[in-house]
Amino acid sequence: MYGMRMFLEANVTWLDVVALAFFAVAWVGYAVFSVRHGADVPGLRTAMDSFRREWMARMIERDNRMVDVNIMRNLTRSSQFFASITMLVLGALIALMGYIQQALQLVSDLPFTVKGSQTLLEIKILLLVIIFVYAFFKFSWAIRQLNFCSVLVGAAPKMPKENTEQYAPHINRAARITSYASVNFNNGLRAY
């Protein structure tokens, strides 16, 4: 009952409802489309998955794995950068919640805007908070998965050139975890 009262109090127009519905359908629809289309038509993700497996196969042949450690560090830094920026955006959005009236007045002075209620602006900012919380968790999970892969890189035995099949499970595990991390990183970027 409270949610419905707040919804009516927000002076939500049919255009707001259409915009929210379009946003939800576009976000979910694109995610479903990209997974299904990627299964049918090989794309960048499929190509990168095979390169990740090739990387892990080459890694297991090396005595010195400093190159692999640096690659893992670089991948982790990208996720850490976006996770920290996401925290800054979340901080700004939460701070904005305390200045709704001033923000509403500032926006209403612009010539091309439609006057809205304070509650409607709060709902819109809350939607942005939810999106950026989702992005933060995706980046954080990508960091965690890359940490798991770092452990696998560190635990990988050196493979003799003649017996490659016995190391295939280790290679596949490490490649799969980096692929999972890349999917989560990509989902975090989509949230932006």
Side-chain angles (χ1 to χ4, degrees):
M1 191 67 186
Y2 172 74
M4 184 59 139
R5 189 179 66 202
M6 187 176 84
F7 195 70
L8 293 174
E9 188 179 290
N11 297 331
V12 176
T13 66
W14 67 271
L15 201 55
D16 293 319
V17 173
V18 168
L20 180 61
F22 176 77
F23 171 76
V25 167
W27 183 320
V28 172
Y30 182 75
V32 169
F33 167 77
S34 67
V35 168
R36 288 192 178 157
H37 185 70
D40 296 337
V41 179
L44 182 60
R45 180 171 176 237
T46 307
M48 291 306 296
D49 285 347
S50 67
F51 283 125
R52 285 184 195 97
R53 190 184 186 297
E54 185 67 26
W55 166 34
M56 292 303 157
R58 297 294 76 79
M59 178 270 307
I60 217 162
E61 294 173 353
R62 288 192 270 275
D63 281 329
N64 185 351
R65 300 211 173 117
M66 288 309 296
V67 170
D68 308 300
V69 169
N70 284 330
I71 293 170
M72 293 302 300
R73 188 178 301 144
N74 185 34
L75 292 172
T76 305
R77 274 193 201 135
S78 297
S79 294
Q80 289 170 336
F81 171 76
F82 279 104
S84 64
I85 294 299
T86 303
M87 289 301 292
L88 292 174
V89 170
L90 280 169
L93 288 171
I94 290 170
L96 181 60
M97 292 293 276
Y99 295 96
I100 290 289
Q101 192 59 43
Q102 290 92 331
L104 191 60
Q105 189 174 10
L106 179 71
V107 170
S108 67
D109 291 341
L110 297 172
F112 53 84
T113 60
V114 177
K115 306 241 184 290
S117 70
Q118 181 173 341
T119 307
L120 183 60
L121 187 58
E122 287 172 349
I123 291 170
K124 289 177 180 181
I125 292 171
L126 187 61
L127 178 63
L128 286 173
V129 167
I130 291 168
I131 291 168
F132 281 99
V133 164
Y134 170 83
F136 176 75
F137 281 120
K138 286 300 179 177
F139 291 131
S140 297
W141 187 233
I143 293 167
R144 185 75 174 137
Q145 289 172 321
L146 289 168
N147 286 338
F148 293 152
C149 188
S150 296
V151 170
L152 291 176
V153 166
K158 182 175 181 326
M159 177 180 72
K161 299 241 188 239
E162 61 275 352
N163 190 3
T164 59
E165 285 306 310
Q166 86 182 62
Y167 297 102
H170 190 82
I171 291 167
N172 291 335
R173 266 191 304 270
R176 200 170 333 121
I177 289 177
T178 56
S179 293
Y180 292 155
S182 116
V183 167
N184 284 302
F185 180 79
N186 194 28
N187 287 336
L189 286 179
R190 280 189 194 151
Y192 269 79

